[in-house]
């Protein structure tokens, strides 16, 4: 037997073995999720995607319903609103602008925003010349939040109200004064990312959602079932949006104008596969190719009172089964995590926000098997 043929035979055997292992893994995960759902049907539906190319895995699984009224079966890989998961997309766009020499991470934001926005915040005592781009990315700008109990109550009573970005910026200074100097205080606040998308808009001269699409080049990344509802048209072949719920307030995402969470703090609709593939490719240098630039995403601003999880630049750190992961969660029960050690990304949509604790159980199980 020639060495060439022997090498080929060994390669074939390895591929067959990996494929068999991947199929066994997928069956075990699907069975686990189905069993978990049977015990937690108030979650309405659960949808996941696992992206682990080195293990031969690119796997979707869904169970439950896409809505709790009509009880349509939840399709595999059906899109949903990912809310704050958009922050990683915004961060990636900013880093790409830095890679292209159009922006600096330590640039003062008074050089980057519209005169109208600068004057608005100046009227409330903010000194934008002391706030840098990385302060916005890390929620350490010292800017307060427009999202408070009053905001949630208003949305609850006026679900079809069409918010503008300007209304949300104005509400920020109406309900909150500066929290402290930049770099001193951590406050998770969507307004930081509204300002970042305005920066994207000012630099590119395009609507931020179009600029993000162009800069991140979604089609090249093979994430085509992604759009910003009401700002962009849904891709023709993309399935219908799922309904997402918050039982505490009796919220149904399909009955609330998305503008309450649209302009950078939230806004993207996509499939679990899109979400998982995006973060996988981000951390594998398919978007920002300069390692030094991408590594800026791990920049941590040391503050007096940090958040529960270490927060960096549009991502936070979590540990599952003693394995370190990086990613983000979203208001409507979405989450995506990338694990460098096993080169695997996992996205999960739990359709009932109040049952999002199931995310950890599922990710723990996946990590436990795959590692």
């Amino acid at each position: 037997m020639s060495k060439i043929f022997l090498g080929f035979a060994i390669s074939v055997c390895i591929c067959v073995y990996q494929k068999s292992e991947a199929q066994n893994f997928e069956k075990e995960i699907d069975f686990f999720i189905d069993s978990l759902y049977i015990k937690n049907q108030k979650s309405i539906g659960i949808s996941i995607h696992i992206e682990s190319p080195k293990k031969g895995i690119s796997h979707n699984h869904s169970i439950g319903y896409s809505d709790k009224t009509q009880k349509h079966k939840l399709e595999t890989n059906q899109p949903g609103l990912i809310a704050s998961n958009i922050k990683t997309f915004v961060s990636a766009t900013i880093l790409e602008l830095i890679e292209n020499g159009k922006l600096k991470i330590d640039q003062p934001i008074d050089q980057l925003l519209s005169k109208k926005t600068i004057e608005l915040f100046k009227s409330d005592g903010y000194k934008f010349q002391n706030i840098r781009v990385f302060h916005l990315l890390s929620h350490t700008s010292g800017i307060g939040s427009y999202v408070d109990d009053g905001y949630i109550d208003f949305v609850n009573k006026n679900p079809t109200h069409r918010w503008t970005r300007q209304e949300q910026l104005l509400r920020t200074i109406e309900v909150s004064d500066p929290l402290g100097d930049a770099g001193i205080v951590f406050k998770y606040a969507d307004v930081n990312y509204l300002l970042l998308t305005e920066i994207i808009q000012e630099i590119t001269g395009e609507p931020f959602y179009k600029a993000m699409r162009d800069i991140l080049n979604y089609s090249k990344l093979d994430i085509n079932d992604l759009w910003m509802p009401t700002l962009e048209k849904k891709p023709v072949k993309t399935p219908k949006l799922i309904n997402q719920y918050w039982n505490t307030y009796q919220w149904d995402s399909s009955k609330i104008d998305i503008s309450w969470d649209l302009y950078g703090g939230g806004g993207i609709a996509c499939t679990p596969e899109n979400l998982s593939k995006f973060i996988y490719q981000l951390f594998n240098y398919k978007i920002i190719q300069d390692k030094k630039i991408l590594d800026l995403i791990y920049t941590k601003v040391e503050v007096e009172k940090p958040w529960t999880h270490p927060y960096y630049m549009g991502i936070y750190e979590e540990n599952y089964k003693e394995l370190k992961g990086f990613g983000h969660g979203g208001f409507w029960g979405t989450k995506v995590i990338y694990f460098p050690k096993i080169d695997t990304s996992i996205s999960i949509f739990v359709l009932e926000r109040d049952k999002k604790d199931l995310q950890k159980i599922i990710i723990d199980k996946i990590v436990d098997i795959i590692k």
Side-chain angles (χ1 to χ4, degrees), residues 55-110:
K55 298 282 187 179
I57 297 166
S58 184
H59 180 61
N60 293 306
H61 184 67
S62 299
I63 185 170
Y65 303 102
S66 63
D67 66 276
K68 65 181 182 182
T69 305
Q70 299 292 327
K71 290 197 172 181
H72 293 120
K73 183 181 178 182
L74 179 59
E75 295 179 36
T76 299
N77 208 32
Q78 197 169 346
L81 300 175
I82 63 169
S84 284
N85 280 115
I86 194 181
K87 291 180 172 69
T88 310
F89 288 75
V90 174
S91 177
T93 305
I94 292 293
L95 292 177
E96 184 69 351
L97 288 171
I98 293 170
E99 185 176 40
N100 293 334
K102 296 181 179 179
L103 182 64
K104 294 179 181 179
I105 199 165
D106 60 352
Q107 203 165 337
I109 65 172
D110 69 333

Side-chain angles (χ1 to χ4, degrees), residues 94-95 120 142 146-149 162 183 221 233 246 250 258 260-261 283 298 322 337 342:
I94 292 293
L95 292 177
L120 175 65
Y146 63 86
V147 180
D148 58 6
D149 289 343
R162 182 68 182 180
L221 299 174
K233 291 183 179 180
W246 186 17
Q250 296 297 300
I258 192 178
W260 82 281
D261 186 32
F283 283 107
Y298 297 109
E322 300 181 352
I337 299 288
I342 56 173

Side-chain angles (χ1 to χ4, degrees), residues 121-175:
F121 281 84
K122 184 178 179 180
S123 71
D124 199 36
Y126 286 98
K127 298 177 181 178
F128 274 10
Q129 69 270 24
N130 296 332
I131 300 175
R132 314 285 170 155
V133 172
F134 69 84
H135 290 130
L136 296 179
L137 286 164
S138 60
H139 299 283
T140 59
S141 63
I143 302 174
S145 178
Y146 63 86
V147 180
D148 58 6
D149 289 343
Y151 186 74
I152 298 298
D153 288 340
F154 183 89
V155 174
N156 195 44
K157 294 173 183 175
N158 304 273
T160 61
H161 176 72
R162 182 68 182 180
W163 290 87
T164 65
R165 177 206 297 270
Q166 192 62 27
E167 277 184 286
Q168 291 166 339
L169 294 179
L170 180 59
R171 193 175 196 282
T172 301
I173 67 168
E174 288 177 342
V175 301

Side-chain angles (χ1 to χ4, degrees), residues 6 60 131 148 165 176 180 190 213 246-247 283 293 335:
L6 179 60
N60 293 306
I131 300 175
D148 58 6
R165 177 206 297 270
S176 177
D190 283 356
R213 179 175 293 279
W246 186 17
N247 188 59
F283 283 107
I293 300 298
K335 182 181 284 289

Side-chain angles (χ1 to χ4, degrees), residues 247-264:
N247 188 59
T248 298
Y249 271 80
Q250 296 297 300
W251 280 15
D252 176 340
S253 62
S254 69
K255 296 178 181 177
I256 300 173
D257 193 294
I258 192 178
S259 62
W260 82 281
D261 186 32
L262 178 61
Y263 303 105

